[in-house]
Amino acid sequence: FISEQQKKKYQATKKMGMTKEEIEFALTTAKQYKEEGNKFFKDQEYKKACSRYKRIMGCLAGVGDDANAVMTAMNNANNKETPKKNLKELEKEGGVKYEVELLNFNCYLNLALCYLKLKNYANAYKYSEKAREYDADNLKVRLRCAEACLFHMNGAFSEKASKDIAFLKSKCPNERKVILLEKQLKSIKLRDAKKQRQTFKKMFG
């Protein structure tokens, strides 16, 4: 068990540079938050689950980064963000950075699912897209992106969803969720086509 006092001490020391012990503590704390979040999710307490998952991101900020690269980024106001390596690339390298980013990836995936359950489709879309940055071909990522796109802004992102659904159909055509999403997509397209016809009729008689 990690006490609140230990967590506060870690938050204070990590700003001054992290030792191996502090990195291990950060990872242990993050995993504890993940377990707590998973328990809240299982109990259908989605807002509390979101709170725990978000703590993981703060806990792991800067962990596994090269110290010189971090200082350069902090001191250079015009520094451009370097391209993020995907999980497959990081897995080959191994080490702390892969462990950190795997936790972050799962955190984003879990947040997306929580927000889908809460019907907060804007945040579901936001976090599913963040997860996509780590592994664009992951089936869970594609599924949550498609769901968020279909329902966010009343189907305004349906074209984007159609690409994810097509990908999912190619990989798991008999999956029930994929079939339901495809039906939902067709329904939205029919609705939009009907609205478009009505608009043209008003404009041109």
Side-chain angles (χ1 to χ4, degrees):
F1 176 76
I2 300 169
S3 68
E4 287 301 318
Q5 186 177 2
Q6 286 176 306
K7 291 174 186 176
K8 287 178 182 177
K9 182 181 178 182
Y10 155 70
Q11 290 293 340
T13 57
K14 79 169 186 174
K15 295 176 183 177
M16 298 182 288
M18 300 184 72
T19 65
K20 180 182 177 181
E21 290 74 20
E22 287 164 349
I23 290 171
E24 289 174 355
F25 183 79
L27 290 169
T28 301
T29 305
K31 289 171 184 176
Q32 180 181 311
Y33 284 142
K34 183 184 176 185
E35 287 176 9
E36 291 174 2
N38 291 347
K39 185 179 183 303
F40 281 128
F41 182 88
K42 188 177 179 181
D43 293 339
Q44 298 183 13
E45 296 187 72
Y46 303 122
K47 288 183 179 179
K48 288 183 179 180
C50 285
S51 174
R52 292 304 186 277
Y53 293 139
K54 285 180 179 179
R55 290 182 189 183
I56 293 170
M57 292 182 281
C59 187
L60 296 177
V63 179
D65 289 336
D66 177 77
N68 292 327
V70 172
M71 290 303 297
T72 300
M74 288 174 65
N75 293 326
N76 185 359
N78 297 318
N79 183 73
K80 293 184 179 179
E81 187 177 353
T82 55
K84 186 187 295 291
K85 290 184 178 180
N86 62 42
L87 280 180
K88 290 176 183 177
E89 291 174 323
L90 288 170
E91 187 176 12
K92 292 175 184 177
E93 297 174 8
V96 172
K97 189 64 177 175
Y98 171 66
E99 193 172 357
V100 167
E101 297 298 24
L102 183 60
L103 278 165
N104 278 325
F105 169 71
N106 285 314
C107 173
Y108 290 136
L109 263 184
N110 292 345
L111 279 167
L113 185 56
C114 282
Y115 282 118
L116 284 171
K117 295 288 187 182
L118 292 167
K119 297 185 179 180
N120 184 334
Y121 301 118
N123 275 339
Y125 174 76
K126 171 185 172 181
Y127 287 110
S128 60
E129 286 297 319
K130 282 183 176 291
R132 192 197 292 270
E133 293 176 15
Y134 289 86
D135 188 352
D137 294 333
N138 183 282
L139 296 180
K140 287 184 179 179
V141 169
R142 292 290 190 125
L143 184 63
R144 284 166 204 179
C145 283
E147 286 183 85
C149 284
L150 280 181
F151 295 107
H152 180 39
M153 294 179 67
N154 200 26
F157 293 169
S158 60
E159 284 304 314
K160 193 167 188 178
S162 66
K163 294 178 182 178
D164 287 321
I165 292 170
F167 177 87
L168 289 165
K169 275 193 69 180
S170 71
K171 301 293 182 180
C172 43
N174 299 319
E175 175 65 38
R176 181 174 172 272
K177 283 189 176 181
V178 175
I179 294 168
L180 289 174
L181 282 173
E182 188 178 24
K183 287 181 179 179
Q184 183 70 30
L185 178 63
K186 287 179 180 177
S187 177
I188 289 172
K189 287 186 173 182
L190 286 171
R191 179 203 67 189
D192 291 345
K194 184 178 179 181
K195 283 184 179 179
Q196 192 175 48
R197 287 195 300 270
Q198 288 173 342
T199 300
F200 285 156
K201 189 175 181 180
K202 288 178 182 179
M203 290 174 65
F204 304 109

